[in-house]
Amino acid sequence: MTHRWPLRVYYEDVDLAGIVYYANYLRFIERARSEMVREAGIDQTAMRDAGLVFAVTRVEADYMRPARYDDALTVETAVARTTPARLTLDQTIQRDGTALFRARVTIVCMDLGGRPRPLPDAVRGLGG
């Protein structure tokens, strides 16, 4: 399953040269992951109320080309690997089919005290 989420680059996302500030790519892929989980029917508010939250434990990122003010971008998110304890996602930000940024993100589930917990079945199901 590949999830696609469109976004527009706004003035607040760029530096003085009109290029997306590097840390904002991480914000963009976070939003896309949240939308993918929401569209899969996983209610993160209900999870938190039940004492479980997601945490990113690793990000490997490659910045290949700059995105600029007013660009229409697409974030593609695909499950690379699922285990009982981890979800690894490949995320790509594209403009007109050209990859600008790629990241591999590892996510775990933990309780509100920070102790690891198995991923909920619905999350493991994202892997197919």
Side-chain angles (χ1 to χ4, degrees):
M1 168 186 124
T2 299
H3 178 267
R4 289 172 181 80
W5 183 67
L7 71 104
R8 172 82 53 190
V9 176
Y10 295 106
Y11 188 71
E12 67 186 18
D13 300 320
V14 299
D15 60 19
L16 290 173
I19 296 171
V20 171
Y21 181 66
Y22 80 97
N24 287 334
Y25 290 94
L26 299 177
R27 293 176 50 181
F28 296 160
I29 64 173
E30 173 70 31
R31 292 175 190 164
R33 286 193 308 274
S34 293
E35 291 301 324
M36 180 188 79
V37 167
R38 178 179 287 113
E39 289 177 23
I42 299 164
D43 183 342
Q44 290 190 73
T45 301
M47 278 182 58
R48 186 188 63 231
D49 291 347
L52 297 175
V53 294
F54 294 124
V56 172
T57 60
R58 182 172 177 81
V59 175
E60 299 172 62
D62 294 307
Y63 299 85
M64 296 165 310
R65 291 180 171 81
R68 299 180 185 280
Y69 172 73
D70 205 35
D71 278 352
L73 306 176
T74 302
V75 181
E76 290 190 352
T77 304
V79 176
R81 185 167 184 226
T82 307
T83 72
R86 287 185 178 88
L87 178 65
T88 303
L89 301 166
D90 288 331
Q91 295 190 271
T92 305
I93 298 178
Q94 300 178 6
R95 180 184 52 231
D96 297 325
T98 300
L100 308 179
F101 172 88
R102 284 195 178 107
R104 177 160 275 196
V105 181
T106 302
I107 297 168
V108 298
C109 188
M110 63 183 186
D111 64 24
L112 297 177
R115 292 176 295 279
R117 295 291 180 245
L119 290 170
D121 290 339
V123 175
R124 284 193 301 245
L126 293 173

